Amino acid sequence: MDYKFTEEQEMIRQSARDFAQRELLTDVLERDAKGIYPAQHILRLAELGFLGMTVDPLWGGGGMDNISYVLAIEEISKCDASVAVILAVHNSLGCYGIEHFGNDTQKEKYLRPLATGEKIGAFLLSEPEAGSDATMQRTTAVDMGDHYILNGTKNWITSADKGSIYLVMAQTSPELKHKGINAFIVERNLPGISLGPHEDKMGMRSSDTHSVMFTDVRVPKENRIGEHGAGFKIAMKLLEGGRIGIAAQALGIAEGAYERALRYAKERKSFGTEIINHQAISFKLANMATRVEAARHLVYKSAWLKDNHLPYGKESAMAKYYAAETAMYVTTEAVQIHGGYGYVKEYHVERLMREAKVTQIYEGTSEIQQIVISRAIASE
């Protein structure tokens, strides 16, 4: 692996950094406090070409590699993980799912507007009784000949309201268990789709998160993705790649907290000197820096493997697991280094700590990542 980035990769990273520092930071505290969706920032991401980053230009995308993608997610997450998660779900689940598992007709109709940012994508897998165990899908899609009838509830859905194109997993043949699950493209405005209230979350508060209810929703037969029963495999493959994006997000959160803590430690004085000169603080920063660097290598390696068409399932699970644990550790220490100031919103680190927590939970909990990793190494 060569971590010497190309000129294009450096340009993408700088563009993402400038956008985050100059635009996201201006209102991130207000949006976090009030749960305001970052509509104008998502439009800017579309203008900058960050929606559909890795999609083939044939379908209106940027044709970028996964290293570029994680660099963008990383830089944006340093300032605002809510915007980063919208970007990650849209790219690694919505766009990637249709591009790699859909047919050309589906790509022309649905992928193209996603890739250009005209529409936002959402991924609907989790249910009230099917979180970590995604095989237990209760949402049903009954085959009616030329269409399916969709009934059920999905929860914790990012971009449920603002998204226009859903990628939905549903059970068509319960007797086949997980082999009877199918994947469907569902348009948000179809009759029978309703939303629960906006979730009042601990962190990622300006991202759009709702439960989605389907009541006799008529989905055209041509909107099924892949062969019958391929839905579960598609979902697992999407999550395998999606973990890279969430790992990059966790890395960015950790980096953002570390950078703020380091800056504060160099400015804040106690007992006649800057607090970075006290071993209790300098050792904290040393541990934070080391963990961030280790997480970075795991994240970049998993993206590199994917770019080079090599197996990356184990490595993406390792990256997601370690980066999430690092984000929680580093943000907690950043609050501690700030002392009382770390406990108030003005200094951002308490927000970063709240945002870090969910990286240990969504797209596979840390415990699920350990299962994935342990099974992988047992089979080697």
Side-chain angles (χ1 to χ4, degrees):
M1 290 177 295
D2 184 3
Y3 289 159
K4 183 179 180 181
F5 300 123
T6 66
E7 183 177 341
E8 181 183 18
Q9 290 166 342
E10 287 288 3
M11 181 184 68
I12 291 165
R13 176 162 67 173
Q14 189 61 52
S15 178
R17 180 182 298 166
D18 290 344
F19 165 73
Q21 296 288 336
R22 296 175 184 175
E23 301 185 40
L24 293 181
L25 278 180
T26 61
D27 63 347
V28 65
L29 292 178
E30 180 185 10
R31 286 186 288 103
D32 174 70
K34 298 179 181 179
I36 300 171
Y37 182 77
Q40 75 278 15
H41 298 307
I42 300 303
L43 289 174
R44 280 288 290 141
L45 283 172
E47 292 172 2
L48 292 168
F50 286 106
L51 301 181
M53 289 184 70
T54 62
V55 175
D56 192 313
L58 175 66
W59 306 109
M64 303 176 200
D65 60 12
N66 286 282
I67 291 289
S68 298
Y69 170 62
V70 300
L71 290 174
I73 294 290
E74 179 185 350
E75 290 297 335
I76 290 170
S77 299
K78 290 180 183 180
C79 298
D80 188 351
S82 290
V83 170
V85 73
I86 296 168
L87 182 64
V89 169
H90 176 86
N91 275 286
S92 64
L93 300 177
C95 289
Y96 189 87
I98 296 174
E99 181 174 21
H100 289 270
F101 298 103
N103 58 42
D104 284 355
T105 300
Q106 292 166 339
K107 292 175 188 178
E108 182 62 41
K109 184 175 181 180
Y110 297 110
L111 178 59
R112 188 175 296 281
L114 288 174
T116 60
E118 178 187 341
K119 295 184 178 181
I120 298 298
F123 180 69
L124 285 71
L125 175 65
S126 292
E127 299 183 359
E129 296 182 31
S132 292
D133 184 2
T135 64
M136 298 299 292
Q137 296 290 297
R138 300 294 179 87
T139 297
T140 58
V142 178
D143 191 340
M144 303 298 290
D146 64 343
H147 67 278
Y148 292 89
I149 295 295
L150 197 62
N151 282 284
T153 299
K154 299 290 184 177
N155 61 350
W156 317 121
I157 306 305
T158 298
S159 299
D161 188 23
K162 305 302 181 183
S164 303
I165 298 173
Y166 292 168
L167 192 55
V168 182
M169 304 299 150
Q171 179 60 264
T172 301
S173 304
E175 70 280 4
L176 298 178
K177 299 182 179 179
H178 71 280
K179 293 182 179 180
I181 296 171
N182 280 292
F184 302 91
I185 300 171
V186 180
E187 297 179 30
R188 161 75 175 87
N189 61 359
L190 288 178
I193 296 177
S194 59
L195 302 183
H198 181 272
E199 299 290 356
D200 190 8
K201 307 187 297 292
M202 175 192 290
M204 312 283 186
R205 290 180 49 78
S206 70
S207 70
D208 165 28
T209 309
H210 299 258
S211 292
V212 180
M213 284 74 75
F214 300 99
T215 304
D216 294 332
V217 177
R218 185 185 177 110
V219 179
K221 196 67 169 282
E222 59 266 25
N223 280 32
R224 191 187 76 195
I225 294 181
E227 298 299 320
H228 177 73
F232 183 75
K233 288 184 178 179
I234 290 172
M236 294 304 101
K237 191 62 180 178
L238 291 178
L239 291 177
E240 190 176 78
R243 287 169 186 146
I244 299 174
I246 300 305
Q249 183 186 76
L251 171 62
I253 293 170
E255 284 182 300
Y258 166 72
E259 290 171 4
R260 288 182 177 277
L262 178 62
R263 185 164 58 247
Y264 181 82
K266 289 180 176 180
E267 297 170 352
R268 175 72 170 177
K269 289 185 177 182
S270 70
F271 302 103
T273 186
E274 290 79 10
I275 63 173
I276 196 170
N277 295 321
H278 299 306
Q279 189 179 82
I281 301 300
S282 64
F283 278 18
K284 284 183 184 295
L285 289 163
N287 287 330
M288 293 159 73
T290 301
R291 295 193 191 198
V292 166
E293 190 64 19
R296 179 181 291 110
H297 282 277
L298 285 169
V299 174
Y300 291 0
K301 180 181 179 181
S302 61
W304 181 88
L305 288 170
K306 189 175 182 182
D307 280 333
N308 285 274
H309 309 291
L310 297 169
Y312 59 87
K314 179 185 71 175
E315 287 77 9
S316 69
M318 286 179 167
K320 200 271 187 186
Y321 169 58
Y322 189 78
E325 297 300 306
T326 295
M328 200 66 241
Y329 170 81
V330 170
T331 55
T332 302
E333 290 288 71
V335 170
Q336 190 70 18
I337 289 171
H338 278 76
Y341 291 108
Y343 205 65
V344 297
K345 297 183 183 300
E346 179 184 353
Y347 285 76
H348 291 274
V349 288
E350 68 85 29
R351 173 177 60 83
L352 290 168
M353 185 174 74
R354 289 187 283 107
E355 290 179 338
K357 185 58 195 175
V358 77
T359 67
Q360 295 177 308
I361 298 172
Y362 62 8
E363 292 212 30
T365 63
S366 288
E367 292 77 15
I368 290 295
Q369 304 314 312
Q370 290 174 298
I371 291 174
V372 172
I373 296 163
S374 63
R375 288 177 177 173
I377 61 178
S379 63
E380 290 176 346

